[in-house]
Amino acid sequence: MKSLAALCVLCVFGASAEVLSPSPSPSPASGSATTPSSPPACWRDVACTGPTAAAFPGPWDAHIYAPATRRPQPRRILSLAATGAPAVDGPSYADGMPAVLTGNGSALVFDFGIEVGGVVHVRYRDDNVNNGTRTEATTHRLGLAFTEARDYIGYVSDSSNGNYRGPHGTLLSPDGALRSPPLAAGAGTYAVPVERLRGGFRYLTLYLVVDDDAGAGAGAADPAPPPTLTLDDVRVEIVFQPSWPALRAYQGYFHCADDLLNRVWYAGAYTLQTNAVPSNTGRVTTSTIRDGGWLNNATVGWVGGGRSSSSTPPPPQSVLLDGAKRDRWVWPGDMGVAVPTALYSTGDGASARAALATLYHYQEARTGRLPGTGPPALAHGGSDTYHMWAMVATYEYVLATGDEAFLRQHWAGYRQAMAYILGLVEDGDGKGDGNGDGLLSVRGLGDWARAVNVRNGSAPNMLLYHTLVTGAKLAGFVPADLASDDPAQNLTAVWLDRAARLRTAIRAAFWDPAAGAFFDGWMNRTLYPQDTNSFALAFGLLDGDVVDDRDDDSNDSTTNMTAHVSAQLTTNWTPIGPASPELPPARTNADLGAVLASVPHAQAGFTTPLGRFRAGYNMTGDGGRGADNNTDDHVVVVTWDTPAGSTGWLDWGSGSM
């Protein structure tokens, strides 16, 4: 089941070409004699509960980006000129070590070859006392700067602290660089403090800082030679996927004859893997950072029970966050995609469960509203669309895992969340009974994908339709002892009825027959958003239906809505991925989910161009030259309507790649 399920989600996440170079397999990257005899299998104080081997080993394992050890070394060493000139490629790590920094400000750049994250460890030798270049008045420190992309290599780090609180969103305090305490003479080690761990980077700049209050060599007949620092070993202690003893033990896989699509899929899986972190290593709030730097020691997950008055967090466990570097918080806006993607690729259900449990723990008891972000920010009331995405993710989690204990624990919270969002539906029938046929009118307008959001726009209403349909299915999974015998409380029937009436209202309010697409809302009737029209396909709102285009009863003109919406979406395509007309110049992957959900109805060849244009551009930097249509592969779409471990049915559909 997992191998088929893995094909169901083509996880295409944007990433720089600089972070996409699979780890060597099966041995660790650039191992050497300095490798510890017993490297740590899991992260520090997190229990080792993850898998120890891949569920479906095969040739596709070559595409896995995850390192084979929790303490990988860099792959290459680059030189960096003090003038700020671009870094220059150098030897492999194995050939270039030990490496020597010579003189104040001298620097070397260590390239790990892939995105990594965690605590950097350096083993060094400072022998300057013996050669007369270091006195008691002289201190040597090690400077460290981090970046994900080669363009930003230098003596300062790229941005991670999120402190864009200045006028017009300007950065108030840049990350800068770390500096070690004064280094002891002779051989020593330095480890970055755990609260200063770096969530995501590929390039590490190490440079020598010389503080000489008395002036080194002052008064000497001959100037002293420049100080040196020998670097014997550099490695990073990986913080992500903290409960897994084997980082490459994926529980799902994807494989086809198109190598780029294989790389795309595994890049998406690795992205989610780097986002699963210990619950006590989140980013602090921006107000905490005033003078530069960064801190990653906030508690961001609550993996215990539901809503509770307890203020004592449980022991650290793995939790799925929005991002590895800057966005180290639980963020429900992505969870409708991130949760199933993680489940069907790496198979990491524990981190998804913890993220959802965190949201239910902080659910507002009075209103039933779920937070717009997890702790420490806890943006209550900021976004009703994020509220719904968390509900969709709840269904996706239970569907894939069959976790009845989780469903029992949070079913009351889920029902209250549904009551909250349905309470925002207008009484279109005029009865005022709270069971209206009108449109959703959101109160929390926050949604990153909108330059201008409106209360009763088409996209939030499409999402409510999906929330109702998935909620109806989730109600069917509820154990019998939690279900009501009252026919009026048959939530599957009740919510499906609400979905059907909302569907009618959406089509009446937002369909433009002349354009063959849904428009944004009353504020902009000429904008045909990518998200709205992708949702219509992905959420089954159309399913090949026809609508009457007649302005009167004089003829019988009809339109296949699926075909027209599919065609309209292609008008947004560019060589580097689909443009988002509602938030230019953003490029998003909403189209891809729509196509995968409606393969039997979509135009032939729809899927591969999207996967190659958007993700191919990000991975190769070549602008995405389009699809290779010479393959004979097919996308296999597999859906099921019962939780994992239960008897269900499969719906197969194939589309030419």
Side-chain angles (χ1 to χ4, degrees):
M1 177 64 77
K2 289 178 182 175
S3 62
L4 296 175
L7 296 175
C8 185
V9 180
L10 183 61
C11 39
V12 183
F13 288 170
S16 165
E18 295 292 332
V19 299
L20 299 172
S21 178
S23 292
S25 175
S27 59
S30 305
S32 70
T34 60
T35 301
S37 57
S38 299
C42 294
W43 172 261
R44 302 192 176 192
D45 51 357
V46 176
C48 256
T49 58
T52 58
F56 302 97
W60 39 82
D61 290 347
H63 294 290
I64 295 177
Y65 293 91
T69 172
R70 192 163 286 277
R71 287 203 177 192
Q73 295 169 318
R75 296 187 191 175
R76 302 197 67 82
I77 303 175
L78 287 65
S79 61
L80 182 67
T83 59
V88 179
D89 286 336
S92 69
Y93 179 82
D95 292 339
M97 296 296 283
V100 180
L101 299 175
T102 303
N104 186 33
S106 60
L108 290 171
V109 180
F110 293 85
D111 176 9
F112 284 84
I114 57 171
E115 179 91 349
V116 293
V119 171
V120 168
H121 296 260
V122 179
R123 187 158 52 84
Y124 66 87
R125 281 176 288 130
D126 186 342
D127 296 326
N128 293 281
V129 172
N130 297 332
N131 63 22
T133 62
R134 177 170 174 173
T135 67
E136 292 183 359
T138 304
T139 59
H140 294 166
R141 302 174 189 267
L142 189 64
L144 302 91
F146 305 83
T147 181
E148 293 179 294
R150 185 168 179 144
D151 291 351
Y152 294 91
I153 289 175
Y155 290 90
V156 295
S157 303
D158 55 12
S159 179
S160 80
N161 63 30
N163 205 353
Y164 291 91
R165 297 182 295 118
H168 308 292
T170 55
L171 184 65
L172 283 184
S173 55
D175 283 36
L178 293 180
R179 289 193 178 184
S180 72
L183 302 176
T189 59
Y190 170 71
V192 169
V194 67
E195 67 272 14
R196 300 280 184 176
L197 69 83
R198 193 71 176 181
F201 67 97
R202 171 173 170 172
Y203 299 98
L204 166 66
T205 301
L206 296 179
Y207 59 94
L208 178 60
V209 180
V210 179
D211 299 322
D212 188 356
D213 294 336
D222 297 312
T228 63
L229 185 69
T230 301
L231 305 175
D232 288 321
D233 186 57
V234 178
R235 62 184 69 230
V236 59
E237 180 185 359
I238 296 293
V239 66
F240 57 78
Q241 205 78 78
S243 62
W244 281 34
L247 296 174
R248 298 171 63 86
Y250 283 18
Q251 301 301 288
Y253 78 96
F254 175 86
H255 194 63
C256 73
D258 189 317
D259 185 65
L260 179 58
L261 288 183
N262 290 329
R263 292 168 56 199
V264 164
W265 194 91
Y266 281 95
Y270 186 56
T271 299
L272 267 293
Q273 193 172 15
T274 63
N275 293 353
V277 308
S279 53
N280 59 349
T281 63
R283 178 171 64 84
V284 302
T285 56
T286 55
S287 59
T288 307
I289 303 296
R290 298 184 180 277
D291 300 315
W294 64 91
L295 285 172
N296 285 321
N297 60 347
T299 297
V300 291
W302 197 284
V303 294
R307 289 195 299 264
S308 169
S309 60
S310 173
S311 60
T312 304
Q317 296 187 37
S318 184
V319 60
L320 182 62
L321 305 184
D322 178 42
K325 188 179 70 170
R326 187 193 66 183
D327 299 330
R328 293 178 69 85
W329 296 345
V330 174
W331 189 61
D334 269 350
M335 292 183 76
V337 174
V339 168
T341 301
L343 291 168
Y344 299 144
S345 57
T346 64
D348 180 15
S351 299
R353 187 186 202 276
L356 289 167
T358 297
L359 296 177
Y360 283 107
H361 175 80
Y362 289 103
Q363 184 178 24
E364 286 185 341
R366 181 179 62 85
T367 65
R369 185 168 50 187
L370 295 166
T373 61
L378 287 177
H380 279 292
S383 174
D384 289 327
T385 56
Y386 294 178
H387 172 96
M388 290 185 282
W389 279 122
M391 297 178 68
V392 170
T394 302
Y395 160 77
E396 295 284 0
Y397 171 77
V398 175
L399 174 68
T401 65
D403 190 343
E404 182 179 307
F406 176 87
L407 183 56
R408 284 182 173 275
Q409 190 171 42
H410 299 294
W411 179 236
Y414 182 91
R415 289 187 61 178
Q416 193 177 10
M418 184 68 85
Y420 164 77
I421 199 67
L422 288 179
L424 303 181
V425 174
E426 299 168 340
D427 279 323
D429 56 9
K431 295 179 181 179
D433 58 2
N435 193 30
D437 295 325
L439 296 170
L440 171 68
S441 181
V442 296
R443 300 295 185 267
L445 296 176
D447 192 320
W448 77 268
R450 289 281 156 173
V452 178
N453 210 357
V454 295
R455 293 191 181 278
N456 59 352
S458 55
N461 276 278
M462 297 280 186
L463 183 53
L464 176 58
Y465 174 82
H466 188 49
T467 303
L468 284 164
V469 171
T470 55
K473 295 178 180 179
L474 186 64
F477 304 158
V478 173
D481 60 304
L482 292 183
S484 173
D485 294 330
D486 182 358
Q489 295 299 313
N490 181 344
L491 294 179
T492 296
V494 169
W495 290 342
L496 285 178
D497 176 68
R498 293 295 297 266
R501 285 185 280 142
L502 178 62
R503 175 180 174 180
T504 300
I506 288 173
R507 288 157 68 141
F510 301 116
W511 177 253
D512 183 343
F518 292 92
F519 58 79
D520 187 42
W522 64 271
M523 290 183 64
N524 196 341
R525 301 177 66 90
T526 60
L527 173 67
Y528 304 97
Q530 181 198 35
D531 58 1
T532 291
N533 287 284
S534 296
F535 289 170
L537 288 174
F539 299 161
L541 201 92
L542 306 179
D543 285 346
D545 287 355
V546 296
V547 293
D548 191 345
D549 283 346
R550 297 172 297 176
D551 293 328
D552 51 47
D553 294 329
S554 60
N555 58 63
D556 188 22
S557 173
T558 59
T559 295
N560 183 305
M561 298 177 74
T562 296
H564 277 258
V565 170
S566 297
Q568 194 278 333
L569 285 171
T570 64
T571 64
N572 298 323
W573 288 13
T574 77
I576 60 172
S580 176
E582 62 268 31
L583 189 68
R587 300 289 188 271
T588 75
N589 297 315
D591 293 40
L592 188 57
V595 174
L596 286 174
S598 57
V599 167
H601 308 295
Q603 302 170 8
F606 207 121
T607 309
T608 300
L610 284 174
R612 294 180 65 91
F613 288 176
R614 166 64 170 154
Y617 175 81
N618 287 326
M619 295 184 67
T620 67
D622 65 358
R625 295 192 175 92
D628 176 0
N629 293 317
N630 295 322
T631 65
D632 293 323
D633 295 289
H634 287 71
V635 178
V636 178
V637 180
V638 183
T639 61
W640 58 94
D641 270 9
T642 56
S646 304
T647 301
W649 54 270
L650 298 179
D651 177 25
W652 295 77
S654 63
S656 173
M657 291 180 67

